[in-house]
Every structure is written in structure tokens, then in C-alpha cells.
Amino acid sequence: MTRTGFYPGSFDPVTYGHLDIIARAARIVDKLVLGVGVHHGKQALIPAATRIALLEQVTRPIAGHTGLRIAVTTFDGLAVDAARKSHAGVIIRGLRDATDFDYEVQMGQMNAAMAPDIETVFLAASPATRMIASSLVKQIARMGGDIAPFIPKEAREAMAGALKPAH
């Protein structure tokens, strides 16, 4: 029997923190569906199609090394509904700090009330990636800072294209 996990996020941009959680999720699931959130109320820096392509590209080495089957999809509703649609029995969430913990536990409990058959699993961020947040990466990039320590080269290239001023 295949154990399928669902890892939702904006992945705007995909960071080394995301990749850390994906690689570690390979220890507990056979297939991981990466759910790229495309919420109409939020304006993403990188278009959804580009985020999907980036995730497919940068997770290929993880899949090859671990044997994890990775699929990428978009969703615009509740993560728990997208997990159910993906036939996932587990929602994977990464935790950086106590603030994440408080929010994610509350979200996990709400998801459990809506879908008792889907378990939420929290993976603590590795020390090397725990400070990385997509929002901070975008802020650093907008201010001309070096984001190389935080995101893969492919994501840096996508961000550079997205941050170029329109002529």
C-alpha cells in the first residue's frame, strides 16, 4: 500500500527549507504531492506555472536519491480538501519556531475536525534552514541582497525575472 502525503505551501519561491522538509518527508511517505497554493486574494511574485516547473526541477534529485514519488499540483481552497483530492492520508507541515508551532497545531486540529481520516505530521526544520522564510527571501531580494544561501539557483533566476522593472 502506498502512503501518500500532501505538502501545501505557496513555494513563492521554493527555498532550501522547503527542500529539507521534502527530503525528510521521504522517510515517512512513498509519494508526496506538493500543493502549490494559488489563492486569489494573494498576489504571488512568481506565477503558479513557474513555481510548478521549479518544484519539479529542484525536487528531481531528492526523488532520485530517496525513491520518493513526487507530484506537483495547484489548489485554491482548503489544504485538507486538496489533500483528500490527492488521496493523501497525511498532511506534511514544517515548523521553524514556536510561532509556527502555535499556528500549525491550531490548523492541524481544524483539519482533523474536518477530515479525521487525514493526519497532520509536523517536521521540525533543520538547524541550517530554520531561519528561512519565503517572505523574508522576497524582501531581501527586493532590497538587492544576496539570496543565494536560501534558495536554489533556478528559483533565484525566476525571482530575478519577476523582480525586473517593466519597461
Side-chain angles (χ1 to χ4, degrees):
M1 181 173 143
T2 299
R3 181 167 292 245
T4 301
F6 184 77
Y7 180 26
S10 69
F11 303 103
D12 186 36
V14 59
T15 70
Y16 288 130
H18 294 128
L19 296 178
D20 172 59
I21 296 298
I22 292 165
R24 293 176 43 237
R27 298 178 191 155
I28 57 176
V29 297
D30 305 303
K31 178 181 179 183
L32 186 62
V33 178
L34 306 176
V36 176
V38 289
H39 303 288
H40 304 293
K42 289 186 175 180
Q43 182 64 23
L45 178 64
I46 300 171
T50 303
R51 288 182 278 158
I52 290 167
L54 283 171
L55 281 166
E56 289 171 345
Q57 184 176 12
V58 301
T59 61
R60 205 168 288 128
I62 295 170
H65 177 72
T66 64
L68 178 65
R69 290 184 293 141
I70 298 174
V72 185
T73 189
T74 59
F75 73 102
D76 64 358
L78 296 173
V80 71
D81 290 340
R84 184 179 286 114
K85 185 177 177 185
S86 297
H87 306 288
V90 177
I91 295 175
I92 304 289
R93 298 300 296 161
L95 300 175
R96 291 176 299 229
D97 57 23
T99 303
D100 281 354
F101 178 80
D102 290 341
Y103 174 79
E104 293 293 345
V105 166
Q106 184 178 21
M107 187 65 62
Q109 291 170 338
M110 296 292 285
N111 286 341
M114 291 183 284
D117 57 319
I118 300 176
E119 193 64 52
T120 299
V121 174
F122 304 109
L123 298 176
S126 296
T129 63
R130 118 177 238 180
M131 79 304 231
I132 303 173
S134 293
S135 59
L136 294 176
V137 169
K138 288 187 278 197
Q139 184 177 2
I140 292 166
R142 285 184 178 113
M143 298 177 86
D146 181 14
I147 56 174
F150 312 120
I151 65 174
K153 175 183 68 110
E154 298 87 349
R156 290 194 307 271
E157 291 168 357
M159 283 193 65
L163 291 172
K164 283 186 181 176
H167 295 291

